[in-house]
Amino acid sequence: MLTFAEFRRALLFSQPKLELEERDGFFVARGTYVLTDGPHAEGPIEEFDIAIVAEPNYPEAEAILIITNDRFPRDIDRHIYGNGTCCTCVWEEWLATAEDTSFASFMDGPVRNFLLSQLYFEAHGDWPFGQRKHGIDGLVESVSRILGTKLDQSTAIRHLNALTGGEPKGHWECVCGSGRKIRDCDRTHLLGLRERIGYENLIRLSKRLKTAIAKK
């Protein structure tokens, strides 16, 4: 859970140009985000007009970054939707792989990296961390990264079904990537992944992927 005090602490000193408020059950920061890489005489790298919206049940609920002006094209290929909302990461993947999922870590990680990546793309025409896929392919890619093995769409669904199901059954395909059945492999691997990734996080990722497939 996130309190407004924690939200405020994460932003008050590092981002003094953002106005912070609690509005209708949400925590909102709006104004100018100052991108720096440390104190320099020449000043910050750049400044951006943004809004950040978080809910008290963060990190269960994804925090949202919004570009509030036309600084970057509102284009899915630039990971920015028409309303200015940014796709900073696949949330479930970040929760599963980040060592620290605090709100301060979200600001120092996904938000900062997103803005740096946009500047890098402007200068070089490609992405510093490689191009992430969109839609279903992007979600399958996230499942692959979380589980540590390259998957296709159908295998990703089977693995998520196993990870979000009940007691592992021997005839299920093991999620270790070997292609073997659980009875011929190691069921503790599946149980360990459930614990490491988080059962509720797996449920959300499974729903997101199945919803994307159903809308295709």
Side-chain angles (χ1 to χ4, degrees), residues 4 19-30 51-54 56:
F4 185 69
E19 295 183 1
L20 314 178
E21 64 175 326
E22 188 172 359
R23 183 197 307 166
D24 300 327
F26 294 89
F27 305 144
V28 180
R30 180 181 292 273
I52 300 283
V53 181

Side-chain angles (χ1 to χ4, degrees), residues 53-122:
V53 181
E55 299 182 38
N57 62 339
Y58 172 95
E60 181 178 341
E62 180 176 354
I64 303 299
L65 168 66
I66 304 167
I67 303 295
T68 57
N69 62 3
D70 58 358
R71 175 63 183 80
F72 300 120
R74 297 189 177 191
D75 187 329
I76 188 61
D77 289 333
R78 292 291 294 270
H79 308 286
I80 304 175
Y81 299 103
N83 62 359
T85 299
C86 303
C87 181
T88 58
C89 60
V90 175
W91 192 248
E92 293 82 7
E93 179 186 345
W94 184 68
L95 291 181
T97 57
E99 293 184 5
D100 179 3
T101 59
S102 67
F103 182 75
S105 180
F106 167 70
M107 293 299 302
D108 291 339
V111 169
R112 188 173 191 277
N113 290 341
F114 179 87
L115 295 171
L116 282 171
S117 295
Q118 292 291 332
L119 294 179
Y120 186 93
F121 186 89
E122 285 186 336

Side-chain angles (χ1 to χ4, degrees), residues 128-145:
F129 309 112
Q131 172 65 28
R132 293 301 302 265
K133 298 176 181 177
H134 304 300
I136 296 170
D137 290 340
L139 291 171
V140 171
E141 188 176 80
S142 285
V143 177
S144 297
R145 292 189 178 194

Side-chain angles (χ1 to χ4, degrees), residues 149 159 173-182 184-186:
T149 183
H159 283 11
E173 181 180 339
C174 187
V175 297
C176 68
S178 67
R180 296 191 296 266
K181 303 296 184 185
I182 286 179
D184 301 319
C185 201
D186 184 6

